[in-house]
Amino acid sequence: MSKTLIVSYTPREGSNTEKLVQTFIQETTGKSQITHVRLERDPAPLLLEENLNALLKRNFSGLQLTETEGSAVRSADQLLEQLQSADRIVLAFPMYNFCVPASVKAWIDAVIQNGKTFEITDQGNYQGLCQGKKALVLMTTGSDFSQEPIKSMDFATPLIKNCMQFMGIESQQIAAYGLNQYMHKADQIIGDTQREIVDFLAQSKFLSTS
Ligand SMILES: Cc1cc2nc3c(=O)[nH]c(=O)nc-3n(C[C@H](O)[C@H](O)[C@H](O)COP(=O)(O)O)c2cc1C
């Protein structure tokens, strides 16, 4: 059975993003072994003085860490190991200020590690080390980013796509746009997006690893 890692950030009571996560879980229960990280309860560490320097020391200079330095990077390494052992990743979040919420960015900063999820080849090229993994990104937004002029103000979509690609992970996104802009039909938008998730899982063989 494939292993799926769900990483979600849905702090709002009655969260619409959470409804999408629950649809994914309902559709995949019994079909994949699920690990669920809820960043609103267990936040990823921010890169601060202690852990950043320890990560650079280990991942770029190849030096052994002291016990204190090892402790400083432990929570990032736990998130990294969860990603490494998953076949499929679901990343779910609402757009905040045209980008991903800071908690989601902290998760990205924890798992993109030199020598673990990417490497620099002898020729000086970057190479993702997560080949074979696939990701599904579930995003909700208040405004309708499906069309210009604001489509190009969505920095979340390209950020996540590029970060996943950098690690060698093929990703696809399903978004529920305009939940505040079209408040009167927010339930309909969520319902349509839930159906899109169900159809995607049926048609894409997302969970199949063979
Ligand atoms: C702090 C904050 C910042 C937000 N920034 C944006 C934004 O830049 N663009 C947008 O379209 N919606 C923005 N929204 C609206 C949310 O993306 C939208 O309501 C989303 O559906 C909320 O998902 P939830 O129900 O899972 O909390 C913001 C909401 C919050 C709380």
Side-chain angles (χ1 to χ4, degrees):
M1 194 185 277
S2 64
K3 290 183 184 170
T4 299
L5 172 66
I6 301 176
V7 178
S8 65
Y9 174 74
T10 61
R12 195 178 70 80
E13 230 171 84
S15 161
N16 280 315
T17 315
E18 182 63 29
K19 291 175 191 161
L20 304 184
V21 172
Q22 288 307 317
T23 299
F24 180 89
I25 291 173
Q26 274 161 28
E27 289 301 306
T28 53
T29 298
K31 298 177 189 158
S32 188
Q33 194 183 313
I34 291 177
T35 302
H36 193 169
V37 175
R38 290 183 171 278
L39 294 173
E40 73 277 13
R41 294 180 196 165
D42 294 308
L46 288 178
L47 291 175
L48 302 176
E49 202 173 0
E50 224 186 350
N51 59 351
L52 178 75
N53 286 298
L55 285 166
L56 294 177
K57 179 177 171 183
R58 184 188 67 186
N59 296 350
F60 284 89
S61 305
L63 299 171
Q64 287 281 332
L65 299 186
T66 64
E67 210 169 296
T68 313
E69 289 166 335
S71 307
V73 300
R74 194 148 301 136
S75 58
D77 281 354
Q78 276 167 0
L79 295 169
L80 167 75
E81 284 155 22
Q82 287 169 337
L83 175 75
Q84 286 175 316
S85 60
D87 303 300
R88 301 290 176 257
I89 298 108
V90 175
L91 186 56
F93 57 87
M95 175 188 280
Y96 280 1
N97 298 315
F98 303 99
C99 201
V100 299
S103 314
V104 173
K105 181 59 168 51
W107 179 81
I108 292 281
D109 290 342
V111 298
I112 300 192
Q113 291 198 31
N114 187 28
K116 315 276 183 188
T117 46
F118 80 94
E119 67 179 359
I120 304 165
T121 65
D122 293 341
Q123 290 76 37
N125 298 318
Y126 290 101
Q127 186 171 307
L129 297 177
C130 297
Q131 256 80 26
K133 296 188 197 299
K134 287 185 187 171
L136 173 63
V137 180
L138 302 176
M139 181 174 79
T140 63
T141 68
S143 305
D144 183 359
F145 285 85
S146 65
Q147 292 165 48
E148 294 298 356
I150 65 164
K151 189 170 190 249
S152 46
M153 291 166 74
D154 166 10
F155 296 100
T157 300
L159 174 78
I160 296 297
K161 183 111 201 145
N162 282 308
C163 288
M164 289 293 177
Q165 207 170 313
F166 188 66
M167 294 187 281
I169 303 175
E170 192 187 302
S171 72
Q172 270 182 278
Q173 186 189 64
I174 295 179
Y177 294 117
L179 294 169
N180 299 345
Q181 190 173 344
Y182 314 123
M183 206 174 272
H184 58 288
K185 55 172 190 174
D187 287 346
Q188 187 192 321
I189 296 170
I190 285 296
D192 289 347
T193 312
Q194 287 172 313
R195 272 185 290 282
E196 203 182 324
I197 293 168
V198 173
D199 291 347
F200 169 78
L201 289 171
Q203 287 160 17
S204 67
K205 298 198 177 135
F206 179 71
L207 293 181
S208 161
T209 50
S210 54

